[in-house]
Amino acid sequence: MADLSVDLGFRVLKSPLITASGTFGYGEEFLPFYDLDILGAIVMKGIFRDPRPGNPPPRLHETPAGLLNSIGLAGPGSAALQEIIRRLHARTAVPIIVNVCGEDDEEFAEVAALFSAMDEVAMLELNISCPNVRQGGACPAQDAGHTARLVRQVKDRVRKPLIVKLSPNAVDIVAVAQAAQDSGADALSLVNTFLGMAVDITTRRPVFANVYAGLSGPAIKPLALRLVREVCRRAYVPVIGMGGIASGHDVLEYFLVGAAAVQIGTINFREPAAALRITGEIEAEMERLKIKSLSEIRGQLQA
Ligand code: SIN
């Protein structure tokens, strides 16, 4: 029997598969599809202190090999999410990760502290990389100095493991990763979506009100894999890889470049029970490669 468990150093997960923020609702929506206990963890959709309407429609646009989104971190606010988490925790033992957002550094720290205090919450993921909040896609993860200040401020206020989610749209993602880990991040997750756009040729206008949007899905997998490799070569904290993962084969690729766990995102929209299939595929690949544990291949890329 393959051992799917992975050790993040601060916590062992029973599976390498974590569902990515914004692609898995608040977990409850997926309870009818499979037993969420098979997952390593789930990440809640990003949350601010107060409810947010998000960006005006359209918010989604399909491309030949991916999905552009400009949701704008719509959400019910922290108080409502606390209720949802209590309900979900009563129905499943899967570890819950809260994706923490903020309009400014103080709000990031306040929201992080609030969820850090909840027994039902296993970890926090700091979302400093959403490209859909400010015009032009600007976010804290594009700047190593801002990332360092923000991570330190949040870390001072929390007692749960802190994962920092990085942006592929930074000029130097390795520098930002180093700033995050040097400032106290317990783990890094990458990558969030790539900045892209679409044009309506009839109206001659951008499809999205914000002009730019975030691209995810199979199109970004080779790009994300490279960035995960670059960061893993310098990281001394565990790296959670993501970007276009849709099969067990994809998961093993991310482990070979050094990921300690992975997140699956866009595939959840097309195939709500994707994690179930991918779990079986990981086991089959491990059997084919005669691997008993994913730690045997982590970072073992021969290049
Ligand atoms: C969004 O809500 O716009 C996407 C979330 C993200 O990219 O972090």
Side-chain angles (χ1 to χ4, degrees), residues 21-22 45-46 48 52 54-55 59 69-74 99 101 125 127-133 165 192-193 210 214:
S21 177
K45 174 149 181 56
F48 286 77
R52 274 171 74 89
N55 294 338
R59 293 171 163 189
N69 92 77
S70 179
I71 307 296
L73 292 171
N99 184 274
C101 305
E125 180 178 65
N127 188 351
I128 60 171
S129 50
C130 176
N132 302 325
V133 178
K165 186 168 181 177
N192 206 320
T193 53
N210 234 13

Side-chain angles (χ1 to χ4, degrees), residues 56-138:
R59 293 171 163 189
L60 294 176
H61 181 81
E62 285 192 57
T63 73
L67 181 69
L68 279 164
N69 92 77
S70 179
I71 307 296
L73 292 171
S78 291
L81 182 58
Q82 285 183 302
E83 277 312 306
I84 293 169
I85 288 172
R86 286 189 192 105
R87 259 193 338 252
L88 182 65
H89 187 70
R91 297 183 65 188
T92 167
V94 70
I96 295 171
I97 303 176
V98 173
N99 184 274
V100 173
C101 305
E103 285 287 350
D104 53 34
D105 296 5
E106 176 49 33
E107 184 178 349
F108 270 107
E110 188 186 319
V111 174
L114 188 70
F115 287 99
S116 172
M118 284 186 78
D119 290 340
E120 297 87 347
V121 172
M123 296 170 238
L124 305 168
E125 180 178 65
L126 201 59
N127 188 351
I128 60 171
S129 50
C130 176
N132 302 325
V133 178
R134 287 173 196 83
Q135 273 240 343

Side-chain angles (χ1 to χ4, degrees), residues 75 156 194:
D156 279 350
F194 283 76

Side-chain angles (χ1 to χ4, degrees), residues 6-14 40-41 93-97 119-123 160-161 238:
V6 293
D7 189 356
L8 297 180
F10 49 86
R11 184 170 183 131
V12 174
L13 303 179
K14 66 155 63 156
V94 70
I96 295 171
I97 303 176
D119 290 340
E120 297 87 347
V121 172
M123 296 170 238
K160 294 274 163 69

